[in-house]
Amino acid sequence: RRQKPSAPEHKRDLAAHGGALSMSHNDTRSFFNFSQLVLSAGHLKSPPVLKHSKITYFEVEILDVQSKKQICIVDKVPPSSTLLDVKHKFHKACPQWYPSRVGLQLERNGPYLKDSINIQSLAVSSIITLYFTDLGQQVGWTTFFLTEYTGPLLIYLLFYIRLSTIYDQVESTKNFRHPVVHLACFCHCLHYVRHLLETLFVHKFSGGHTPLKNMIKGCAFYWGFTSWIAYYINHPRYTPPSFGHKQVSFAALAFLMCEAGNHFINVALAHQNHSGSKACFPSPTYNPFTWLFLLVSCPNYTYEVGSWISFTVMTQTLPVGIFAFLMVIQMSLWAQKKHKVYLKRFYPEVRRKTAMIPIIF
């Protein structure tokens, strides 16, 4: 049997039930608002952990190669820096020595280090000691070759027009010029124009420099011999070759072939890495002038010597013969030096070849 609660107790129960309902409703609304806040804020991420990377800097101590006295210390050099960066910082500390005339060595009698070498590869500790040598006033390779080859081109033309200050004007007007004189002028100008164009558009220089005294010596050699050669070939009393037209024609054809071969070899050497393989010796192509790569490692020197020997036969002049003889000696020395480098880098491809002339040297 149920007992009905009394009125006051009934009111208390209703009040308690209503309070519980209102509290439950408020909790639901609070949870809903909190959920909306979390959803609108996106994913909760923990704050990133800061990594403190330690970069090791090097100090480069630069000493004089003769006295071993300290010139300066280049500090705070990053590991990724090259030797050229060190030279620029050295130039800021010592403005009288700009980077191109600074020679740096690891040892006093060692070779000069290349600008592209990474400074970290030289480090044994945090302090790197280098020896400084003043290389003197420098010029770029492009300037070097343009100056060296422009002189012979202009000098020969001055002798070809027979200036009155060089030859006797009366004798120059009387004597008839043999066709070989005009042909020799054409071949000589073609040779140096090719050199100039290849310097500007074919050869790739690494941005290096050479001492100014080397350019002076090179200009004295080429300009002096050009004056001697041009004086005799363009002289009013110049006598043509002994065997006449046949000798001139044969030598001129050989000269043009050597000039063409020299050009195609230089183009092949300039584009030898177009396939992306840097450790590959140049190989012959469909061009017959490049087939000389099968026999010698420096065919450009072979063609250069062939040009001057052909020019000697064509003009039959003693100064040209002496110049050609000196060129054979110089080119053979350069070819042997390069051949030794090729043997170290490309031994399987080069071991059966000679340096410049097949079977010889």
Side-chain angles (χ1 to χ4, degrees):
R1 202 174 179 188
R2 254 187 211 176
Q3 254 186 345
K4 290 185 179 180
S6 60
E9 292 176 356
H10 182 65
K11 288 181 179 179
R12 284 197 302 270
D13 292 340
L14 287 174
H17 183 65
L21 287 174
S22 102
M23 286 179 64
S24 174
H25 182 66
N26 290 335
D27 290 344
T28 304
R29 291 187 61 185
S30 299
F31 180 76
F32 176 77
N33 291 335
F34 179 74
S35 303
Q36 293 295 323
L37 179 62
V38 171
L39 291 174
S40 63
H43 299 289
L44 292 177
K45 295 182 179 179
S46 60
V49 180
L50 295 177
K51 296 181 180 180
H52 299 283
S53 58
K54 294 182 180 179
I55 300 177
T56 304
Y57 291 97
F58 296 102
E59 287 187 357
V60 180
E61 181 187 25
I62 299 179
L63 308 179
D64 185 74
V65 71
Q66 299 294 336
S67 62
K68 294 186 180 180
K69 292 182 179 179
Q70 186 185 93
I71 299 176
C72 75
I73 293 180
V74 180
D75 57 351
K76 293 184 179 180
V77 179
S80 59
S81 299
T82 61
L83 200 68
L84 183 60
D85 300 329
V86 175
K87 288 184 178 182
H88 282 290
K89 291 185 177 182
F90 177 64
H91 173 57
K92 289 182 180 179
C94 304
Q96 68 270 27
W97 293 308
Y98 51 90
S100 62
R101 70 183 295 171
V102 174
L104 296 177
Q105 304 161 276
L106 270 178
E107 300 175 356
R108 295 182 67 187
N109 297 326
Y112 292 113
L113 300 173
K114 295 182 179 180
D115 292 344
S116 59
I117 193 170
N118 191 282
I119 200 68
Q120 192 172 12
S121 63
L122 306 174
V124 179
S125 62
S126 60
I127 299 177
I128 304 171
T129 302
L130 298 176
Y131 293 95
F132 161 75
T133 302
D134 184 9
L135 300 177
Q137 193 170 356
Q138 305 286 302
V139 293
W141 283 111
T142 303
T143 305
F144 176 88
F145 288 115
L146 290 180
T147 307
E148 192 175 67
Y149 296 142
T150 303
L153 179 64
L154 300 178
I155 290 172
Y156 196 96
L157 291 175
L158 291 177
F159 282 91
Y160 176 73
I161 61 178
R162 291 183 176 178
L163 295 176
S164 58
T165 55
I166 301 175
Y167 302 112
D168 181 63
Q169 189 65 26
V170 178
E171 194 173 21
S172 299
T173 54
K174 287 182 179 179
N175 288 358
F176 170 75
R177 291 198 189 193
H178 195 274
V180 71
V181 176
H182 304 291
L183 183 60
C185 180
F186 170 77
C187 292
H188 191 275
C189 293
L190 176 66
H191 178 78
Y192 284 102
V193 167
R194 179 185 62 80
H195 273 304
L196 291 172
L197 293 178
E198 287 177 354
T199 300
L200 293 174
F201 304 109
V202 177
H203 296 303
K204 297 178 181 179
F205 303 104
S206 58
H209 297 80
T210 185
L212 178 63
K213 60 182 180 181
N214 289 348
M215 188 180 75
I216 295 175
K217 289 191 293 185
C219 291
F221 177 77
Y222 280 98
W223 295 16
F225 262 102
T226 300
S227 302
W228 192 24
I229 291 169
Y231 176 80
Y232 275 89
I233 296 178
N234 296 287
H235 198 280
R237 296 184 182 180
Y238 169 75
T239 54
S242 303
F243 296 97
H245 180 70
K246 291 183 179 180
Q247 179 178 341
V248 173
S249 301
F250 173 78
L253 181 61
F255 178 87
L256 295 177
M257 290 180 64
C258 289
E259 288 294 305
N262 202 339
H263 172 70
F264 288 121
I265 292 296
N266 289 330
V267 171
L269 291 173
H271 297 86
Q272 61 178 320
N273 297 330
H274 70 281
S275 61
S277 176
K278 294 185 178 180
C280 181
F281 186 77
S283 56
T285 62
Y286 62 88
N287 190 339
F289 290 102
T290 62
W291 294 351
L292 202 56
F293 273 121
L294 297 171
L295 302 175
V296 296
S297 58
C298 302
N300 52 329
Y301 295 150
T302 308
Y303 283 122
E304 182 77 12
V305 168
S307 295
W308 286 112
I309 293 176
S310 303
F311 195 77
T312 304
V313 175
M314 181 177 63
T315 58
Q316 196 173 313
T317 310
L318 180 62
V320 184
I322 296 175
F323 181 76
F325 176 73
L326 295 177
M327 290 296 289
V328 170
I329 296 175
Q330 183 62 73
M331 294 293 170
S332 64
L333 294 176
W334 288 344
Q336 289 179 27
K337 186 177 180 180
K338 283 193 174 183
H339 187 68
K340 291 179 180 179
V341 177
Y342 289 153
L343 282 174
K344 294 179 180 179
R345 296 182 59 191
F346 317 107
Y347 178 75
E349 296 102 331
V350 185
R351 63 188 179 91
R352 295 183 178 179
K353 301 176 183 179
T354 57
M356 187 180 73
I357 303 175
I359 304 173
I360 306 174
F361 296 124

